[in-house]
Amino acid sequence: MTVPPDDRSFRREMASAYRSGWHFIDLATAIPHRGDSLMVTLFGEPIVVAREDDEDVRAYRCLRRPRGAPQPVRCAIRYGMIFVNLDQRDHQLVEPETTSATPRSA
């Protein structure tokens, strides 16, 4: 893969990736077939990146707790490169606010 150095869209995507907490892992060609995976350590956390049966690439944080299930991590492929985002705020489920109201006539 060759990317010209003056490609503005590439530079814009890379700047956005680094600002937003996305981190480069490897080229997508590192896991070419279904079932292939690679393990990397990013900021002291073991991350497994795998090509699933549906040909999608997914990343998982390996928890060190006993019997801890792998935790999914946001993963994206741009320009043939694999990026993951370890920002906890991106992975937490947001619960909708519940408001309780009592009618005035009660």
Side-chain angles (χ1 to χ4, degrees):
M1 175 183 80
T2 304
V3 178
D6 61 345
D7 185 1
R8 281 189 216 170
S9 61
F10 176 74
R11 288 193 312 240
R12 190 172 38 249
E13 285 251 352
M14 295 306 293
S16 173
Y18 287 117
R19 265 196 320 269
S20 65
W22 289 91
H23 303 283
F24 172 72
I25 298 296
D26 204 339
L27 297 176
T29 56
I31 48 175
H33 306 291
R34 287 184 287 171
D36 288 350
S37 65
L38 62 99
M39 185 162 200
V40 296
T41 302
L42 189 61
F43 301 116
E45 295 189 41
I47 306 291
V48 174
V49 181
R51 188 170 295 270
E52 303 282 334
D53 289 333
D54 58 359
E55 294 291 329
D56 282 342
V57 174
R58 293 191 178 89
Y60 301 94
R61 176 183 283 128
C62 298
L63 302 179
R64 296 176 190 215
R65 293 178 228 149
R67 290 181 257 168
Q71 180 183 25
V73 174
R74 289 182 62 193
C75 181
I77 296 180
R78 295 285 185 262
Y79 295 99
M81 297 178 280
I82 302 169
F83 292 90
V84 297
N85 190 335
L86 297 181
D87 191 358
Q88 289 292 329
R89 293 171 296 178
D90 288 342
H91 304 293
Q92 294 174 355
L93 296 176
V94 177
E95 294 183 20
E97 287 185 27
T98 57
T99 55
S100 61
T102 306
R104 292 180 188 247
S105 61

